[in-house]
Amino acid sequence: MKRLLAALLIAVTGSVFAAEAPEKESMRTRAGLYVDAIEAYEMLRNPGDRQVVLIDVRDPIELNFTGYTRMVDVHVPWKIMDSSRWNENKQSYGGYVNPDFAAEVTSRLDALGIGKEAHLIFMCRSGSTRSAPAADALYELGYANVYSMVDGFEGGKAKSGEHQGARVVNGWKNSGLPWGWELERDIMYGLDK
């Protein structure tokens, strides 16, 4: 019902019905603007008189293995995985925050003719720990309309059932929105250097 209402509000008023603020502190942004994947899709499809930009902040390798949507305008990773760093606590490879993130995103936005009044939607895998700080980084540079996509590209983990623990709940990929495996060279990070 919420999604039907969102689509109706967009069609009638040109406004988006925004997702609620997340409970987890790590998912909150300074701007306080949140959308889920379907709301982001509707904003991109029906921008009205706004510039709406989808920024994918996932690591490049992640896109290879989890998929991609051709609706992305800018791809700059917030965090870059590094196979030479091992996180013993998580039993996983570590990484580091991209030190040039804000400069690289603003450079791409400038090249696209996107101003500070644009509505920027930041998307990571699950909407948990990368899209919010990425949005904050641009907010600090004067971009006031920065949204974190709270369910990300892959969505949340199933709490029970056959797919318990797998990312099959909501998110861009699980909401029937357009996605696939073919990446776009002119959008992908690091290939324009």
Side-chain angles (χ1 to χ4, degrees), residues 51-64:
Q51 287 182 308
V52 180
V53 179
L54 181 58
I55 302 170
D56 194 326
V57 301
R58 296 177 293 153
D59 185 88
I61 299 303
E62 198 173 351
L63 300 178
N64 270 340

Side-chain angles (χ1 to χ4, degrees), residues 6-193:
L8 182 61
L9 283 170
I10 290 167
V12 173
T13 67
S15 299
V16 69
F17 183 80
E20 293 181 26
E23 289 183 26
K24 273 178 74 175
E25 186 65 34
S26 65
M27 295 176 70
R28 292 194 190 144
T29 66
R30 291 186 181 123
L33 300 174
Y34 310 96
V35 291
D36 64 25
I38 290 176
E39 292 165 341
Y41 177 72
E42 290 300 328
M43 283 178 72
L44 291 160
R45 283 192 48 226
N46 302 301
D49 60 355
R50 307 170 292 196
Q51 287 182 308
V52 180
V53 179
L54 181 58
I55 302 170
D56 194 326
V57 301
R58 296 177 293 153
D59 185 88
I61 299 303
E62 198 173 351
L63 300 178
N64 270 340
F65 295 106
T66 61
Y68 170 74
T69 177
R70 290 182 165 262
M71 295 187 83
V72 167
D73 299 292
V74 172
H75 172 235
V76 175
W78 171 254
K79 186 175 182 181
I80 298 171
M81 297 306 295
D82 183 346
S83 63
S84 70
R85 296 181 183 203
W86 182 254
N87 184 322
E88 196 62 42
N89 291 335
K90 293 183 178 182
Q91 289 294 294
S92 175
Y93 289 108
Y96 57 92
V97 172
N98 180 351
D100 301 319
F101 177 80
E104 290 174 342
V105 171
T106 56
S107 174
R108 296 239 181 151
L109 293 173
D110 290 346
L112 293 171
I114 305 297
K116 289 191 174 184
E117 70 288 341
H119 294 252
L120 309 179
I121 303 168
F122 292 85
M123 175 177 69
C124 63
R125 182 191 66 194
S126 65
S128 185
T129 59
R130 291 178 285 176
S131 60
D136 284 346
L138 273 285
Y139 183 76
E140 289 174 12
L141 296 178
Y143 293 83
N145 302 307
V146 293
Y147 297 79
S148 177
M149 187 187 307
V150 296
D151 52 354
F153 183 78
E154 283 194 295
K157 294 179 182 178
K159 296 190 185 327
S160 61
E162 178 184 352
H163 299 290
Q164 182 176 354
R167 293 195 178 281
V168 295
V169 180
N170 300 324
W172 190 281
K173 192 173 182 177
N174 298 308
S175 295
L177 301 177
W179 73 277
W181 302 105
E182 189 174 318
L183 306 179
E184 298 174 283
R185 187 184 200 295
D186 60 326
I187 302 289
M188 293 300 102
Y189 177 75
L191 299 177
D192 57 347
K193 295 179 179 177

